[in-house]
Amino acid sequence: MVKSMTGFGQAQMQTEKWAIFWEIKSINSRFLDLKWKIPHSLNALQSDWEKVVRNYAIRGRVELYLNMQILDPSLLGLNFDQTTASAMLTQLANFAEETNAQFCPDLNRFLNLSSLWRDQGGEIDPALKHDLLKTLENALIDWDQSKLKEGAALAEDLKTRINRLGQLVHKLEALAANNAEKRYADLKERVNKLLQEYSVQVDESRMLQELALLADRLDVSEELTRLKSHLKSMQDMIDRAGEIGRKLDFMLQETFREINTCSNKCHNVEMNHIAVEFKTELEKCREQAQNLE
């Protein structure tokens, strides 16, 4: 199935020792761009997590946010620097004695002194590591489902628009069938009128040859054939699963070139109006295709 690059997912887990909450959201991007917002102490796990994310994502700017709370104090790995704290208290006591000041230390103050608290930097608990990965995978599944849902809606919209483009091509074909002959007749009539008005004699065979060449330049049958082929290819792409965003965008660019050439060659007001409508619808298709992986 077709996937959108835009999606949102989340998952959470809580045990007696920790609470884990993952949130994932993504927007369009030409390449896969992962943005992690995780505790600094877990940075060592990021490379392993990225491999898991790449199983679910091909393109897009993806933000992965982790909120983790440790509920078991023994797992925090904090160590209070008693030596430094004792030295500080001793110095303050000596100062109070020398200045005859009253010394009443408030031990709660040490809670705000980050320099006295050390992270022992031990290994991450294996069970915590497992739960972090498991919850991440659940969030990725939730996120992937949202991308599939959005992708399905985009695919249906694109199919409708491509069908509309096909109808416009049929209109162009109907008009193009007689366009060259009509232009040939109009030009021939204008030339004959000018020749009669100015009493000029020309080689009629040469004139017919030039008019025939001019009429041939108005032929857009090849462009219309390629347009139908491109539309069929795009319809087939949407029906297939996998990465189609880049391919579809390229095919839409090729389709734009063909309709532009057709518009420039036809010299027909009604056909030009249809070509403008075609380009407008094509631009909407490009906007939608840029949302797909």
Side-chain angles (χ1 to χ4, degrees):
M1 295 180 65
V2 178
K3 292 183 183 180
S4 168
M5 281 188 281
T6 304
F8 177 84
Q10 60 183 17
Q12 58 186 344
M13 175 187 290
Q14 182 162 345
T15 68
E16 294 180 354
K17 294 184 176 182
W18 48 70
I20 300 169
F21 176 78
W22 279 102
E23 182 178 277
I24 305 173
K25 56 183 178 180
S26 58
I27 57 175
N28 302 349
S29 179
R30 187 176 179 184
F31 305 103
L32 182 59
D33 182 18
L34 303 180
K35 301 295 182 183
W36 296 90
K37 298 180 181 179
I38 60 177
H40 179 73
S41 59
L42 300 178
N43 284 345
L45 301 177
Q46 182 175 315
S47 60
D48 292 333
W49 289 345
E50 285 190 1
K51 295 175 184 178
V52 178
V53 174
R54 291 180 183 276
N55 293 329
Y56 295 86
I58 298 172
R59 292 200 299 161
R61 178 187 170 91
V62 186
E63 293 185 0
L64 302 104
Y65 171 74
L66 170 62
N67 183 12
M68 181 181 70
Q69 290 182 307
I70 300 298
L71 306 177
D72 183 353
S74 65
L75 295 174
L76 291 175
L78 289 178
N79 184 32
F80 182 65
D81 189 349
Q82 296 184 26
T83 303
T84 302
S86 296
M88 294 170 65
L89 290 172
T90 300
Q91 290 296 317
L92 289 173
N94 293 338
F95 176 75
E97 183 179 353
E98 292 175 1
T99 58
N100 295 321
Q102 186 177 5
F103 178 53
C104 297
D106 183 1
L107 297 182
N108 290 326
R109 297 283 183 176
F110 288 110
L111 292 174
N112 297 323
L113 298 177
S114 59
S115 60
L116 296 179
W117 298 94
R118 308 290 184 184
D119 186 350
Q120 294 179 358
E123 281 289 324
I124 300 173
D125 187 288
L128 173 59
K129 187 186 299 186
H130 173 271
D131 286 353
L132 284 167
L133 178 58
K134 181 63 178 177
T135 312
L136 172 60
E137 289 178 334
N138 290 338
L140 287 169
I141 292 171
D142 187 46
W143 172 60
D144 195 56
Q145 288 299 315
S146 74
K147 292 198 300 172
L148 284 169
K149 183 178 180 181
E150 178 70 17
L154 291 174
E156 286 302 315
D157 183 74
L158 280 167
K159 286 180 181 180
T160 301
R161 295 185 185 281
I162 291 174
N163 286 334
R164 173 60 179 157
L165 292 174
Q167 294 170 7
L168 294 176
V169 170
H170 288 313
K171 288 184 179 181
L172 288 173
E173 279 186 313
L175 292 170
N178 300 317
N179 187 50
E181 291 80 359
K182 184 176 182 301
R183 290 290 297 171
Y184 175 86
D186 291 343
L187 289 170
K188 183 178 179 181
E189 181 181 352
R190 289 173 60 188
V191 170
N192 286 331
K193 184 176 181 181
L194 288 172
L195 292 177
Q196 292 175 5
E197 182 177 350
Y198 293 100
S199 301
V200 178
Q201 297 294 325
V202 297
D203 184 347
E204 185 174 354
S205 63
R206 179 60 184 274
M207 181 189 73
L208 292 175
Q209 183 181 14
E210 292 295 329
L211 289 174
L213 289 173
L214 183 58
D216 187 59
R217 296 190 191 103
L218 300 173
D219 183 19
V220 293
S221 58
E222 292 184 8
E223 287 77 12
L224 293 175
T225 298
R226 285 193 289 269
L227 277 175
K228 289 190 291 184
S229 176
H230 291 341
L231 294 178
K232 177 64 168 58
S233 296
M234 288 189 287
Q235 194 77 38
D236 292 341
M237 281 183 197
I238 296 172
D239 290 333
R240 292 197 300 267
E243 180 186 358
I244 68 168
R246 289 192 181 95
K247 296 176 183 177
L248 191 59
D249 186 59
F250 172 77
M251 192 61 69
L252 286 165
Q253 292 180 44
E254 292 299 307
T255 305
F256 183 84
R257 291 191 183 96
E258 294 297 341
I259 190 63
N260 204 42
T261 302
C262 183
S263 177
N264 292 335
K265 287 178 65 176
C266 66
H267 293 284
N268 181 300
V269 174
E270 191 173 357
M271 291 181 70
N272 282 333
H273 286 164
I274 295 175
V276 170
E277 186 178 353
F278 189 100
K279 292 177 185 178
T280 301
E281 195 69 26
L282 199 63
E283 187 60 35
K284 293 177 182 177
C285 288
R286 289 189 66 183
E287 291 174 2
Q288 297 289 57
Q290 288 172 357
N291 292 320
L292 298 176
E293 278 193 344

